[in-house]
Amino acid sequence: MGQQAINPEQIPKTQKAAVVRDKKVAIETVPVVQPSELKVGEALVKVLYSGVCHTDLHAQLGDWPLVHKEPLIGGHEGAGIVVAIGEHTDTDLKIGDRVGIKWLADSCLKCDYCRQGYEPLCHQALCSGFSVDGSFQQYAVSFARHLTKIPESLPMDKAAPILCAGVTVYKALKQSNARAGEWVVIPGAGGGLGHLAIQYALYMGLRVIAIDTGAQKQALCTKLGAERWIDFRETDDIVKAVKAATPDGDGPHAAIVTSAVGAAYEQALEYVRPHGTVVSVGLPPDAKVSADVFWTTFLEKQLKGSYVGNRQDAVEALDIAASGRVETTYTTLPFAKLPEVYGQMHDGSLVGRVVLDLWA
Ligand code: NAD
Ligand code: ZN
């Protein structure tokens, strides 16, 4: 019996889950882990909504140089309610708390990386919807110490995409060291991560150049406050266009590259201004960033990888969203639509984010 649980009778024995096998996804009926089966440190979360991240598609396609569990229940932008906590778990979480399941499901909190706040780099890190089952199920087991409380004033569906897309771009912007008044370019600006990056950038006082394609994404980026728009499909010389988009023609102070395809990275080090920083966020498999050693050194350009965020980044990203200054643009769809969402994501036709209603 779990240390705490709502009436265990209220927790069903089976549930709907999106299960990946052999690079295909299907909605199946699978068992619910019961409160009595929870281990120390684990919590059972009734998932209400889950955002769909391009990472879930990479996992389904198996295109990364990493091995995930199989069969796999994906999903790592889960917003739900704690319904049970494993016996002897040291936590201030309570039954009924509104919590978020993020990509980083667990880390040891004791190693060199965890102690410095680089929790995603922990050698014992577990990832929701990759190395452990994630939020594309109605009842997910997660780890109490890495669940993030969702502020009361933030609706659960709006909170879901902040748990990966939001926290990732918020932390990436911090990594860029760009300061208020400076310019940042966001390739992938009309996608799930990118459209939130525009808003966190504005929150930090930055000025935004958006790169993506199509009239709908242009309208979204402009509405959200991007001052310049570059359509990558209609622009022959991206480097020239990005440099020209800044008032002095020297290029932006930083680039936050959130595209899931490699082409967006090729020229990023060329178009940032001297002493500028390229923050690599998207995870296209087999892509390369090309850097001319002479000019990278001579112009003091910097390239940084940025991988999700730590527990504090998650709290800050959610608090900013709760303030209303950052708001996800999303379409809510029934859980069963996940395979179609993956198709649209693959085509690049999704604008903003899709949030799945696990109970529709
Ligand atoms: P998305 O599909 O919602 O958005 C990607 C956007 O990039 C689309 O709007 C697409 O039109 C645009 N794009 C494609 N080619 C482009 C080009 N050449 N130039 C500019 N834009 C281009 O995907 P998402 O959910 O926002 O995820 C984006 C990437 O970020 C994925 O690879 C995902 O795995 C990765 N990701 C990384 C982290 C991390 O911690 N580093 C966290 C979450 C997601
Ligand atoms: Zn993600």
Side-chain angles (χ1 to χ4, degrees):
M1 181 61 218
Q3 175 199 17
Q4 308 173 47
I6 57 166
N7 182 354
E9 302 299 316
Q10 291 172 7
I11 295 174
K13 300 282 182 248
T14 60
Q15 60 167 341
K16 282 194 278 178
V19 183
V20 172
R21 275 192 192 83
D22 295 331
K23 305 189 180 185
K24 293 191 189 69
V25 67
I27 309 291
E28 297 180 7
T29 300
V30 303
V32 174
V33 173
Q34 296 298 300
S36 58
E37 298 171 299
L38 293 174
K39 301 189 192 84
V40 181
E42 291 180 344
L44 187 65
V45 178
K46 179 177 179 177
V47 183
L48 303 179
Y49 296 98
S50 184
V52 184
C53 178
H54 209 114
T55 291
D56 298 310
L57 176 59
H58 290 301
Q60 190 232 317
L61 297 174
D63 65 9
W64 280 352
L66 293 172
V67 179
H68 59 68
K69 83 177 272 290
E70 178 93 9
L72 172 71
I73 298 174
H76 57 276
E77 289 185 347
I81 309 284
V82 176
V83 292
I85 297 171
E87 205 172 7
H88 305 306
T89 298
D90 179 17
T91 179
D92 61 354
L93 282 182
K94 294 184 293 303
I95 303 302
D97 278 353
R98 306 160 86 240
V99 290
I101 296 174
K102 51 188 176 47
W103 172 255
L104 194 64
D106 198 28
S107 71
C108 78
L109 302 186
K110 292 181 197 149
C111 71
D112 199 49
Y113 299 105
C114 284
R115 280 197 308 269
Q116 294 185 71
Y118 307 137
E119 293 156 16
L121 305 179
C122 173
H123 289 301
Q124 292 175 45
L126 296 175
C127 301
S128 311
F130 203 81
S131 50
V132 294
D133 286 335
S135 55
F136 293 155
Q137 56 182 331
Q138 292 170 317
Y139 288 90
V141 175
S142 202
F143 298 84
R145 61 190 177 184
H146 266 278
L147 287 169
T148 312
K149 284 191 190 167
I150 295 175
E152 283 300 325
S153 61
L154 187 60
M156 296 294 250
D157 45 354
K158 283 192 181 173
I162 304 299
L163 293 158
C164 177
V167 65
T168 298
V169 297
Y170 171 63
K171 188 258 199 155
L173 282 157
K174 289 204 272 187
Q175 296 266 90
S176 79
N177 292 329
R179 295 190 304 253
E182 295 184 339
W183 286 84
V184 59
V185 61
I186 305 171
L193 268 64
H195 90 285
L196 288 167
I198 295 174
Q199 299 174 70
Y200 282 107
L202 294 180
Y203 180 86
M204 295 172 179
L206 301 170
R207 303 182 70 181
V208 173
I209 304 162
I211 309 182
D212 212 308
T213 191
Q216 271 185 296
K217 290 182 187 178
Q218 177 177 10
L220 174 64
C221 295
T222 308
K223 186 186 94 182
L224 293 176
E227 291 180 64
R228 308 273 193 275
W229 164 259
I230 296 167
D231 190 314
F232 68 84
R233 287 221 174 100
E234 290 174 5
T235 308
D236 293 332
D237 190 337
I238 295 277
V239 173
K240 198 169 149 198
V242 173
K243 282 179 176 280
T246 52
D248 63 4
D250 250 9
H253 302 77
I256 309 292
V257 191
T258 64
S259 162
V261 295
Y265 295 77
E266 281 161 17
Q267 297 141 328
L269 273 166
E270 270 187 73
Y271 58 56
V272 290
R273 72 199 287 118
H275 202 70
T277 303
V278 174
V279 186
S280 169
V281 177
L283 289 158
D286 303 326
K288 300 272 183 285
V289 179
S290 78
D292 183 291
V293 172
F294 180 85
W295 291 113
T296 303
T297 311
F298 195 71
L299 299 177
E300 294 196 343
K301 299 206 176 175
Q302 299 165 65
L303 172 66
K304 286 186 183 175
S306 190
Y307 174 44
V308 289
N310 62 21
R311 291 169 301 157
Q312 180 63 20
D313 296 318
V315 169
E316 292 173 12
L318 283 164
D319 276 349
I320 293 166
S323 79
R325 300 274 301 277
V326 166
E327 196 173 348
T328 311
T329 298
Y330 62 99
T331 313
T332 308
L333 293 175
F335 190 19
K337 295 275 184 200
L338 179 61
E340 288 164 48
V341 174
Y342 280 157
Q344 290 167 344
M345 190 171 256
H346 195 260
D347 299 343
S349 58
L350 285 184
V351 179
R353 211 30 143 204
V354 165
V355 173
L356 299 176
D357 180 341
L358 275 284
W359 297 86

